[in-house]
Amino acid sequence: MQYSAIVGINWGDEGKGRMVDLLTAEYDCVVRYQGGGNAGHTVVNDHGKFALHLIPSGIFRDGVVNILGNGVALDPENLWQEIETLRLAGVKITPDNLMISDRASLLMPWHRLQDELEELRLRDKKYGSTKQGIAPFYADKYQKKTLLAGELNYPDSLREHLKEILGWKNLTLTGVYGAEPVREEQIKAWIEEYGEKIRPFIRDTAKILRRLRDEGKSILFEAQLGALRDLDFGIVPYTTSSNALAAYAPVGSGLTDLRLDQVIGVVKAYSTCVGEGPFVCEMFGPEAAALREAGAEYGAKTGRPRRVGPVDLVATRYGVKIQGATAIALTKLDVLSYMEKIPVCTAYEIDGERTEEFPFPVLLDRANPVVEYVDGWHCDISGARIWADLPEAARNYVERIERAVGCPIRYVSVGPERDAIIRR
Ligand code: GDP
């Protein structure tokens, strides 16, 4: 019996989906505890290649219970589309292997609308939102102006509550943004369609989690995005609107007295960042294009080309610290095989001063990367399955990162397939 969290250490897209898919073999239950359908975990397995947005990555394993906790942004329409897509590919999804917390708030069509209107208003200062409504959703949740999934079971009170919230929301949409009000009839029809579809999956999942624990089951807590996108400790304001830290797992899952046994932090062998915001180690020109191509770095949800750079030891050390990582999974090492010399960002220089500490957000715009080059291995490593299979230069590279961030690298991934992994 063990309780582990799997989290991103950097800006997201570190390959968490791939690691959760691998590790679910050791767990009975996988819980998503924060975030919404605005990111995509990519998983490659016997069923095919999938971009998961909201559904926990344990969905591909028989017998694993997958839970969407109270901390997620639950968009019934997107969730239903995801369920349908997976079912079409032959993945079994029933109320026995997918459960939604009755205390999860519902992300409504007006959240997506408001997200879009706000990005338009911000113009060139936009946050780079994926326009899935996540920021307005969490803002409303803190204002106690959301509908809970469990309310779908109480239609009379739901109707009243909807009327109240929609009246309030329309004040913002019309008054602040000059948009048309959202009509109640339209939302009722939407709830009738998508609310009904997801209703069979809604349960008191906090109770179910406690029961699974009492039965001695092992539980994996799956985060979305990475430490640097954390609402409190990330690159504010270019963060997500929830806490992407392992520390949020007890609250967002519903297992409120949870003590995690391990926190597995996923780090990519180089850096990528989607959207706006400071990205100190960013590379440009042909060097960046080559890395982007080699790693196929395009957003799983949006298809946007990702910004790329060398592994950033400053940001990674910070990410490891705030996640409380007890082990690291280093992914996509094989992608660097084409390089003669591999760049590594070892420090930042801010106003002429060198630092290895990740700075306060406003200083990030003034930070320049200090880059060193280490030897590449320049051969195909995607067939390596044990540590000794890796060429010396590759082992040196992994050990260099390990020393710099102060956390053992227990897994090294050399390909997207389930078995393309080295355990140390
Ligand atoms: P996530 O949101 O953290 O799961 O990250 P992504 O969805 O961006 O997943 C990373 C991408 O890299 C996916 O397409 C994976 O299949 C792929 N991937 C994961 N690990 C490896 C690896 O070790 N090598 C290679 N070549 N690809 C990988």
Side-chain angles (χ1 to χ4, degrees), residues 152-223:
L152 292 169
N153 290 324
Y154 304 94
D156 291 345
S157 95
L158 176 72
R159 249 191 311 277
E160 282 297 301
H161 197 186
L162 171 64
K163 206 186 203 51
E164 219 175 278
I165 289 180
L166 189 55
W168 171 80
K169 180 53 67 178
N170 275 332
L171 293 177
T172 305
L173 295 176
T174 58
V176 176
Y177 298 104
E180 290 290 311
V182 172
R183 286 182 305 111
E184 198 177 320
E185 288 317 306
Q186 180 199 335
I187 298 297
K188 277 187 181 154
W190 184 85
I191 290 180
E192 226 152 84
E193 180 167 7
Y194 296 106
E196 275 313 300
K197 288 189 158 121
I198 64 156
R199 214 157 62 87
F201 299 93
I202 297 169
R203 309 276 287 275
D204 180 348
T205 52
K207 199 158 103 186
I208 291 168
L209 279 170
R210 286 193 293 270
R211 196 186 68 218
L212 289 172
R213 185 174 58 182
D214 292 345
E215 289 169 359
K217 306 284 197 224
S218 291
I219 307 172
L220 186 61
F221 299 84
E222 179 184 11

Side-chain angles (χ1 to χ4, degrees), residues 107-156:
L107 189 147
M108 304 297 288
W110 60 70
H111 291 127
R112 271 181 261 151
L113 176 64
Q114 190 179 341
D115 204 350
E116 210 166 314
L117 292 168
E118 177 60 12
E119 284 286 283
L120 280 174
R121 192 191 69 81
L122 286 168
R123 291 169 189 261
D124 58 335
K125 294 234 176 331
K126 66 184 186 332
Y127 293 162
S129 165
T130 51
K131 300 193 189 122
Q132 300 289 310
I134 309 294
F137 164 87
Y138 278 109
D140 287 4
K141 180 172 171 176
Y142 276 87
Q143 294 207 66
K144 300 159 287 180
K145 295 281 200 296
T146 48
L147 302 170
L148 300 183
E151 288 186 72
L152 292 169
N153 290 324
Y154 304 94
D156 291 345

Side-chain angles (χ1 to χ4, degrees), residues 64-381:
V64 173
V65 174
N66 295 275
I67 291 180
L68 294 168
N70 51 282
V72 305
L74 196 101
D75 179 338
E77 186 176 344
N78 278 356
L79 175 62
W80 184 250
Q81 276 162 10
E82 202 175 327
I83 291 174
E84 289 278 88
T85 309
L86 289 168
R87 279 178 170 167
L88 271 175
V91 181
K92 189 189 78 172
I93 302 182
T94 70
D96 289 328
N97 73 343
L98 180 68
M99 298 173 194
I100 299 169
S101 166
D102 55 356
R103 285 180 176 268
S105 286
L106 297 179
L107 189 147
M108 304 297 288
W110 60 70
H111 291 127
R112 271 181 261 151
L113 176 64
Q114 190 179 341
D115 204 350
E116 210 166 314
L117 292 168
E118 177 60 12
E119 284 286 283
L120 280 174
R121 192 191 69 81
L122 286 168
R123 291 169 189 261
D124 58 335
K125 294 234 176 331
K126 66 184 186 332
Y127 293 162
S129 165
T130 51
K131 300 193 189 122
Q132 300 289 310
I134 309 294
F137 164 87
Y138 278 109
D140 287 4
K141 180 172 171 176
Y142 276 87
Q143 294 207 66
K144 300 159 287 180
K145 295 281 200 296
T146 48
L147 302 170
L148 300 183
E151 288 186 72
L152 292 169
N153 290 324
Y154 304 94
D156 291 345
S157 95
L158 176 72
R159 249 191 311 277
E160 282 297 301
H161 197 186
L162 171 64
K163 206 186 203 51
E164 219 175 278
I165 289 180
L166 189 55
W168 171 80
K169 180 53 67 178
N170 275 332
L171 293 177
T172 305
L173 295 176
T174 58
V176 176
Y177 298 104
E180 290 290 311
V182 172
R183 286 182 305 111
E184 198 177 320
E185 288 317 306
Q186 180 199 335
I187 298 297
K188 277 187 181 154
W190 184 85
I191 290 180
E192 226 152 84
E193 180 167 7
Y194 296 106
E196 275 313 300
K197 288 189 158 121
I198 64 156
R199 214 157 62 87
F201 299 93
I202 297 169
R203 309 276 287 275
D204 180 348
T205 52
K207 199 158 103 186
I208 291 168
L209 279 170
R210 286 193 293 270
R211 196 186 68 218
L212 289 172
R213 185 174 58 182
D214 292 345
E215 289 169 359
K217 306 284 197 224
S218 291
I219 307 172
L220 186 61
F221 299 84
E222 179 184 11
Q224 178 217 33
L225 292 164
L228 301 172
R229 299 290 190 192
D230 181 74
L231 178 60
D232 285 74
F233 296 101
I235 50 171
V236 180
Y238 301 99
T239 63
T240 194
S241 305
S242 62
N243 290 106
L245 299 185
Y248 191 69
V251 173
S253 67
L255 203 54
T256 50
D257 57 350
L258 167 73
R259 298 267 187 279
L260 287 166
D261 300 311
Q262 37 162 7
V263 176
I264 301 162
V266 187
V267 175
K268 192 145 54 180
Y270 51 94
S271 300
T272 59
C273 170
V274 173
E276 316 292 323
F279 182 42
V280 176
C281 66
E282 184 163 12
M283 297 193 314
F284 300 93
E287 205 187 359
L291 182 52
R292 187 176 302 117
E293 282 312 306
E297 294 297 348
Y298 300 91
K301 180 83 187 180
T302 58
R304 285 189 284 188
R306 292 176 181 155
R307 300 155 77 192
V308 297
V311 70
D312 181 334
L313 298 180
V314 179
T316 304
R317 193 182 308 113
Y318 176 72
V320 163
K321 209 177 295 175
I322 63 175
Q323 288 289 16
T326 58
I328 287 178
L330 186 73
T331 63
K332 298 190 108 167
L333 187 67
D334 55 304
V335 170
L336 301 181
S337 297
Y338 75 94
M339 292 184 179
E340 293 279 359
K341 291 272 179 193
I342 302 176
V344 176
C345 172
T346 53
Y348 292 172
E349 212 174 75
I350 303 173
D351 303 335
E353 294 230 3
R354 186 190 155 102
T355 179
E356 291 180 1
E357 289 274 316
F358 195 73
F360 188 71
V362 291
L363 293 175
L364 285 167
D365 282 335
R366 311 217 296 262
N368 290 308
V370 176
V371 176
E372 290 172 24
Y373 284 82
V374 300
D375 287 339
W377 43 93
H378 221 252
C379 63
D380 182 8
I381 57 167

